[in-house]
Amino acid sequence: MTKRILITGSGGREHALAWKLSQSAGVEKIFIAPGNAGTAAIGENVPIAPEDVSSLVAFAKANAIDFTVVGPDDALAAGVVDAFEDAGLKIFGPRAAAARLESSKAFAKDFMIRHGIPTADYREFTDSAAAREYCRTAKYPLVVKADGLALGKGVIIAGNFSEADAALRLCMEDRAFGEAGSRVVVEEFLEGVECSIHALVDGSTYLLFPDCRDHKKAHDGDQGPNTGGMGTISPSGSVDDTLRARIRTEILDRFIAGIQKDKLDFRGMLFPGLMLTASGPKVLEFNCRWGDPETQVLVRRLDSDLLPLLESTAAGALGAATPAWDEKAAVCVVLASGGYPGSYEKGKAISGLSDGASLDEVEVFHAGTKAVNGEIATNGGRVLGVTAKAETLEAARSLAYRAADKISFAGVQRRNDIGATPTH
Ligand code: AMP
Ligand code: GLY
């Protein structure tokens, strides 16, 4: 039977998922809601927002959608999976109660501590006076985090009390992140290198993917503000077999035991952000979705069909799936609009797209793009993810940058050190 697939979201992650799923033997047609100019070339874009749950359910019913794949986190927190499953529709992603592991940092920390998953020591506050009192005598640096979803901006590293005080004011009093800041987590600063882990979780078992590294800061040398991610590599080069075994036993095995004990129905992608510290891997956060731009490098390395993996995860029947992975390295370099993650302009014409994409082993995944009168223009902060694969990380880096050099638009901003030796 050939299947009709719906993917929700409009980023590079969604284009990468659509690209990979379009290669599945079992796929007849892919719809993307709302998609971008890249997804329009693979399937049919549908003008429905990922959080508009009732319109998505109605669309899926009216268009005989066999399987839906959720991209962004806020749609999961809004209960899109609950609504689909309750309507008898098949969908990939955790229900809202389990997606709280991403949408509430306090909930996630409590889960980790109760189930012995290594993470930074922390305190949780809803009262700003109590939080200030604690920060006055705490050890620095420390990290102040808004509890809820804040587009990656609700995390502030404070070097001293006055910075912590300002962070608490921003979150709890000025409500710079809205309701997300009514509760804060104040935690120990961890030293180490970061690493992104992805594992499909079907409620009782998991399938660990290759590791990746994101580059979250806007500028070279890990300078500037945090972004959604300016580029990724896979493998990260920091995870050997011993560390991978620790990630399994100390994080993923305990995660599975924890959701079963707590009766949390988690079926979907678990993406823990880790700090690899001198005393072992520690979880910085749980994401309950595919990473962006981690997905771009992961799908380039997956040799097997993605659809059966997602369907069996959603059905709670992952079993002993053993997908084939390409040993080669993949690198994704993000081209962003000038000013991102702050304010930026849209509607800049993009040139050289087909030149960049025509290089062997290069795929250019679209994020914030839009077709205007047959031309492709910028339409968001992160615009493109130029993704290359080669025998070595160094070769993949140089190929990704060779392709990226061919693509331009007014104000283009990128990092030139994706995959260079980590600087922190
Ligand atoms: P999060 O959204 O919690 O992953 O935080 C975003 C970024 O802040 C992470 O990718 C880290 O770079 C940094 N960060 C968060 N928590 C800590 C911590 N406890 N120690 C050091 N850096 C952190
Ligand atoms: N690239 C980090 C994230 O998707 O959260």
Side-chain angles (χ1 to χ4, degrees):
M1 182 186 138
T2 54
K3 300 206 166 126
R4 294 159 69 80
I5 308 291
L6 171 63
I7 299 175
T8 69
S10 59
R13 162 182 56 208
E14 287 76 17
H15 185 195
L17 289 171
W19 174 84
K20 184 65 190 170
L21 287 172
S22 71
Q23 297 160 24
S24 289
V27 170
E28 175 200 315
K29 180 161 184 182
I30 302 180
F31 296 88
I32 310 93
N36 55 39
T39 61
I42 294 178
E44 185 177 325
N45 286 352
V46 183
I48 305 175
E51 310 79 40
D52 184 354
V53 172
S54 55
S55 301
L56 288 172
V57 168
F59 177 86
K61 281 188 176 163
N63 291 277
I65 298 295
D66 296 292
F67 191 62
T68 298
V69 181
V70 182
D73 51 12
D74 33 10
L76 294 169
V80 66
V81 173
D82 308 55
F84 269 65
E85 289 188 338
D86 295 350
L89 296 163
K90 294 197 169 94
I91 186 163
F92 176 86
R95 293 171 72 93
R100 269 189 85 200
L101 287 167
E102 174 164 3
S103 61
S104 167
K105 289 189 189 287
F107 181 73
K109 293 295 285 192
D110 177 60
F111 177 90
M112 289 187 255
I113 301 293
R114 283 188 298 107
H115 300 298
I117 297 172
T119 188
D121 286 340
Y122 81 109
R123 292 281 299 270
E124 176 192 330
F125 298 97
T126 46
D127 175 41
S128 61
R132 268 204 184 81
E133 200 47 44
Y134 173 79
C135 288
R136 216 177 285 282
T137 54
K139 203 168 135 240
Y140 285 85
L142 57 69
V143 188
V144 176
K145 300 185 175 186
D147 178 59
L149 297 173
L151 293 170
K153 292 177 190 162
V155 174
I156 299 153
I157 295 170
N160 51 45
F161 175 70
S162 88
E163 286 174 19
D165 183 52
L168 292 172
R169 190 170 334 110
L170 195 70
C171 288
M172 304 187 88
E173 282 141 22
D174 302 348
R175 292 292 166 95
F177 314 110
E179 266 309 296
S182 60
R183 183 185 298 269
V184 296
V185 162
V186 178
E187 72 177 29
E188 165 203 15
F189 177 82
L190 298 174
E191 297 272 6
V193 204
E194 285 182 57
C195 170
S196 300
I197 294 298
H198 283 70
L200 290 173
V201 171
D202 76 348
S204 56
T205 181
Y206 65 87
L207 176 70
L208 177 58
F209 278 23
D211 55 293
C212 320
R213 167 161 303 117
D214 189 11
H215 298 66
K216 287 201 171 123
K217 298 278 196 232
H219 307 304
D220 286 7
D222 288 332
Q223 300 299 307
N226 257 338
T227 69
M230 292 299 289
T232 37
I233 60 171
S234 179
S236 70
S238 306
V239 180
D240 60 11
D241 288 349
T242 313
L243 186 51
R244 204 168 157 83
R246 281 189 78 172
I247 290 169
R248 284 182 181 281
T249 54
E250 294 173 23
I251 297 169
L252 294 166
D253 291 352
R254 292 178 195 173
F255 180 86
I256 296 287
I259 56 171
Q260 296 202 316
K261 201 162 167 204
D262 290 359
K263 300 201 168 19
L264 272 184
D265 177 13
F266 192 110
R267 284 167 289 129
M269 180 61 90
L270 179 70
F271 153 25
L274 302 189
M275 188 69 87
L276 306 179
T277 73
S279 59
K282 296 198 177 181
V283 176
L284 291 174
E285 61 170 348
F286 282 134
N287 301 294
C288 300
R289 53 173 175 84
W290 294 73
D292 186 349
E294 282 85 345
T295 303
Q296 289 83 321
V297 284
L298 288 172
V299 297
R300 290 297 314 277
R301 295 191 61 207
L302 177 62
D303 279 339
S304 305
D305 194 336
L306 178 59
L307 183 61
L309 291 176
L310 300 186
E311 287 182 318
S312 55
T313 299
L318 197 46
T322 47
W325 294 98
D326 195 332
E327 289 296 314
K328 289 184 183 144
V331 172
C332 171
V333 175
V334 169
L335 304 186
S337 296
Y340 171 77
S343 62
Y344 52 81
E345 292 176 11
K346 295 183 184 176
K348 309 287 178 201
I350 304 174
S351 66
L353 260 177
S354 46
D355 288 347
S358 69
L359 293 181
D360 239 15
E361 289 290 23
V362 171
E363 294 294 333
V364 180
F365 295 121
H366 290 224
T369 66
K370 190 176 179 177
V372 186
N373 305 326
E375 299 275 299
I376 294 180
T378 66
N379 190 43
R382 291 186 293 177
V383 176
L384 299 166
V386 182
T387 312
K389 196 166 70 168
E391 291 296 333
T392 62
L393 173 66
E394 203 35 59
R397 281 194 70 208
S398 78
L399 180 57
Y401 280 109
R402 194 140 54 85
D405 284 344
K406 295 183 187 290
I407 303 172
S408 64
F409 51 86
V412 60
Q413 172 189 325
R414 73 180 200 201
R415 278 184 62 161
N416 289 304
D417 63 348
I418 302 303
T421 318
T423 50
H424 57 279

